[in-house]
Amino acid sequence: DEDVSKELWGCDVDKPSIQWGKENLGEIINLLHNDHHPKLHFKENYFELVFAGSIFTHIEKNDKEWLDELTRITKPGGLLYLTFLDEHSMRTLATERERPVYKRVAAHPDAPEIWKGSFERICFPAPDSPDGKGSVLVLSHSDYIQRMNQQELELIHVMKKAYAGFQTAYLFRKK
């Protein structure tokens, strides 16, 4: 018999999002607030699956450390489903001018080369916004993504347009 008791956890740096989740999803998911530093309070090899949707698209300085931390809490043989804005995303966004992401990239002096995928990693600063909710935007080339943790992770599959219609999902298995 398989143990059907599984835990579902979520975490975020945004306290209002965590509060909303606790009020609306509290019976089906455990939620915790984390800061921007890559240290989660889970044991090593704890999760069978780690999902990070639209997270690495906003990590400006310590993306490799965060990937190492997510790898640390994933069991050997476990999966990491991570989304990125990569060169595939840029080719998709090049024709979707109504998206706010398009406008931020189009304003960059190297936009023609970015649309073609000619970049390794680019960070766009948070835009000024009246509500202060603007966030950093990070583009990472697929070559960069695959080099981030080759020792511990095996790339299983790449799925274009898998998240929000333009982010690319990378499915890794922990060795």
Side-chain angles (χ1 to χ4, degrees):
D1 290 300
E2 185 178 330
D3 179 13
V4 294
S5 62
K6 301 289 180 181
E7 294 179 46
L8 185 59
W9 282 89
C11 60
D12 202 298
V13 298
D14 185 55
K15 286 183 181 181
S17 295
I18 293 297
Q19 186 59 40
W20 181 92
K22 286 180 178 179
E23 292 169 3
N24 294 280
L25 304 170
E27 292 188 24
I28 59 172
I29 187 170
N30 301 294
L31 296 164
L32 61 90
H33 176 259
N34 62 282
D35 61 26
H36 292 277
H37 303 288
K39 180 63 180 156
L40 298 171
H41 300 286
F42 295 102
K43 292 185 266 180
E44 194 170 313
N45 303 322
Y46 191 77
F47 292 104
E48 295 174 13
L49 172 68
V50 171
F51 172 84
S54 198
I55 302 300
F56 285 91
T57 58
H58 302 290
I59 299 176
E60 182 176 9
K61 295 181 181 167
N62 53 3
D63 60 328
K64 291 180 183 181
E65 291 83 0
W66 268 111
L67 182 58
D68 289 345
E69 178 63 3
L70 297 180
T71 302
R72 181 191 72 78
I73 64 173
T74 304
K75 292 179 178 183
L79 301 174
L80 292 92
Y81 182 98
L82 315 172
T83 70
F84 294 85
L85 289 170
D86 66 0
E87 70 275 14
H88 307 298
S89 305
M90 292 304 99
R91 290 185 192 111
T92 298
L93 284 170
T95 62
E96 298 185 11
R97 297 172 182 232
E98 73 285 352
R99 290 188 186 261
V101 174
Y102 171 88
K103 294 172 183 164
R104 287 177 72 184
V105 174
H108 194 280
D110 295 327
E113 294 304 309
I114 294 170
W115 296 130
K116 294 177 191 172
S118 298
F119 59 89
E120 177 165 279
R121 189 164 190 274
I122 301 174
C123 298
F124 293 80
D128 294 328
S129 61
D131 62 4
K133 292 230 176 213
S135 63
V136 171
L137 181 70
V138 179
L139 314 180
S140 303
H141 195 278
S142 60
D143 293 338
Y144 175 85
I145 295 163
Q146 292 176 52
R147 286 192 312 267
M148 286 174 71
N149 192 338
Q150 290 178 320
Q151 292 77 26
E152 293 187 78
L153 297 176
E154 172 190 6
L155 180 62
I156 303 297
H157 192 63
V158 175
M159 295 152 276
K160 300 173 190 173
K161 300 181 186 181
Y163 194 80
F166 60 94
Q167 290 188 33
T168 303
Y170 288 75
L171 183 63
F172 293 97
R173 177 178 293 121
K174 183 174 177 180
K175 296 177 184 176

